[in-house]
Amino acid sequence: MDQHKKVKRILQVVGIITLLIGIVFALIGFIDFFNALQEGMPERFWCLFVGMPLIGIGASLLGVGFKREVMKYMEKESAPVVNEAAKDMAPAVKTVAAAVKEAVSGSEKGKTCACGCENEADGKFCKNCGAPLECVCAHCGASVATDSMYCDQCGAKLK
């Protein structure tokens, strides 16, 4: 048996023994306390103050000693739940991803003419009706979309 397994076995044995001793002391303290309610002052109430920390120490040692077994159990119990939740969420994630993709690609589509035709982003005239897709600002000379009321470069009124 390697060193790790020896230490683990020691933690498990000492943890069980400490936990059992703590339970015995706590029971003695509780029984003495509740019996004293009828008779007078408790004599072994101090056992409760010894037993409760021993229970905590024993439980901690057992937690460390059996950590690998507990984690394996939790993995086998939680993995199917996580996988099932992922399957349930997949359609919603796909919908959100499609909406984001559409929004991103929508901003790269280009210019829409007044006739409703979608044109290339760098197009100057509509490929359907031939109408100009942009005009030039008389104030600063910047290229501006034809449906704009104001120049987006200098703020001058266009129409």
Side-chain angles (χ1 to χ4, degrees), residues 6-128:
K6 285 181 184 178
V7 170
K8 186 176 167 178
R9 178 61 65 192
I10 290 170
L11 287 172
Q12 291 170 349
V13 171
V14 171
I16 290 172
I17 292 171
T18 307
L19 181 67
L20 291 175
I21 292 172
I23 290 171
V24 169
F25 269 95
L27 283 174
I28 291 170
F30 276 123
I31 290 170
D32 185 54
F33 175 76
F34 288 114
N35 282 339
L37 293 176
Q38 299 169 354
E39 299 173 5
M41 291 296 290
E43 295 176 7
R44 291 181 209 92
F45 187 65
W46 61 271
C47 290
L48 194 58
F49 292 104
V50 173
M52 295 306 278
L54 286 177
I55 290 173
I57 292 169
S60 297
L61 291 174
L62 285 174
V64 172
F66 287 106
K67 186 168 187 120
R68 180 181 306 266
E69 290 79 6
V70 170
M71 294 307 285
K72 282 183 181 179
Y73 173 78
M74 289 178 63
E75 175 189 11
K76 290 178 183 173
E77 288 296 314
S78 61
V81 173
V82 171
N83 290 338
E84 188 176 324
K87 286 178 188 174
D88 291 343
M89 289 189 302
V93 171
K94 286 180 182 177
T95 303
V96 170
V100 169
K101 183 178 178 182
E102 182 181 324
V104 168
S105 65
S107 64
E108 299 171 356
K109 278 185 180 174
K111 301 173 186 172
T112 304
C113 180
C115 73
C117 180
E118 190 68 36
N119 294 280
E120 300 297 322
D122 58 348
K124 303 273 187 219
F125 296 92
C126 177
K127 61 185 175 185
N128 185 46

